[in-house]
Amino acid sequence: MHIRPATITDLPRILELIHLKAEFDGCPEAVEATAETLTTTLFCDRPMAHILLAENDAATNTSAQPRPASPLGFASYHFTYSTFLAKPGLWLDDLFVRSEHRNRAIGATLIQTLCNIASQHSCGRIDWTVDVNNQAGIRFYQRMQGQLQTQVHLCRLNKPAIDQLAQSAKDPLLASS
């Protein structure tokens, strides 16, 4: 098994993994990603995020006709910044291993690869979320020395809220108050 950065030719496999992750999370209808939107956000001059793919070594083929590998799993991440640390951080957005390949150290290898990337970029920490009902995931992350943060809550503004607040900031009546 090896880990490698995804390329634009991996788009069909990336989309497949995203859909499998959404099914695992119980929200298959939440996926809005398309090959086009992933291309413009991941495979551009200034990528907004990065994808690592875990593949079988057997999938690596040096012949003239390379065969597409079916990834065992993936990790998506992007860089953040901590003013408290005055250092970059790494945000692990998704970590997913196909069910038939779990318990084979694939997730651990993806985490170790992310730690190498974070170390190369002098990151002060790696952050992520885990569903409170995902007990297997929680145990896995704790084995990887992940510390559950109970003193903070994840906050989110969805697209309608962003649009509404952005519009209200442009409203001259609100700007003067």
Side-chain angles (χ1 to χ4, degrees):
M1 192 262 309
H2 68 278
I3 308 293
R4 67 171 178 83
T7 66
I8 197 165
T9 60
D10 294 311
L11 279 172
R13 291 174 286 288
I14 294 167
L15 274 168
E16 177 186 8
L17 288 166
I18 290 169
H19 282 279
L20 288 171
K21 171 75 166 82
E23 286 177 30
F24 175 81
D25 288 347
C27 56
E29 71 288 344
V31 177
E32 296 181 15
T34 65
E36 182 178 281
T37 58
L38 290 174
T39 298
T40 61
T41 56
L42 298 177
F43 303 106
C44 55
D45 289 339
R46 295 182 63 161
M48 299 177 83
H50 309 276
I51 305 280
L52 296 174
L53 295 176
E55 296 178 324
N56 276 324
D57 283 330
T60 305
N61 185 352
T62 58
S63 72
Q65 294 292 328
R67 60 179 183 251
S70 179
L72 309 173
F74 82 110
S76 62
Y77 67 96
H78 59 88
F79 292 97
T80 62
Y81 184 78
S82 168
T83 55
F84 284 15
L85 299 177
K87 291 184 177 192
L90 189 146
W91 180 267
L92 169 59
D93 192 51
D94 286 316
L95 178 71
F96 178 76
V97 175
R98 291 174 185 268
S99 60
E100 65 270 22
H101 298 292
R102 293 188 187 136
N103 300 311
R104 293 177 37 201
I106 296 166
T109 304
L110 283 163
I111 294 283
Q112 289 167 332
T113 303
L114 289 168
C115 288
N116 285 335
I117 292 167
S119 181
Q120 291 167 8
H121 290 272
S122 301
C123 292
R125 64 181 179 221
I126 298 174
D127 293 304
W128 67 93
T129 61
V130 59
D131 189 292
V132 295
N133 296 314
N134 184 355
Q135 292 304 310
I138 291 169
R139 286 189 302 275
F140 166 75
Y141 291 131
Q142 288 174 326
R143 282 194 310 273
M144 298 300 299
Q145 301 180 40
Q147 301 169 359
L148 296 178
Q149 302 296 302
T150 57
Q151 68 273 27
V152 296
H153 291 282
L154 175 67
C155 296
R156 177 177 294 154
L157 292 173
N158 61 18
K159 182 69 170 130
I162 292 168
D163 293 344
Q164 179 183 8
L165 289 170
Q167 185 58 41
S168 68
K170 295 176 188 173
D171 186 334
L173 293 176
L174 292 175
S176 63
S177 45

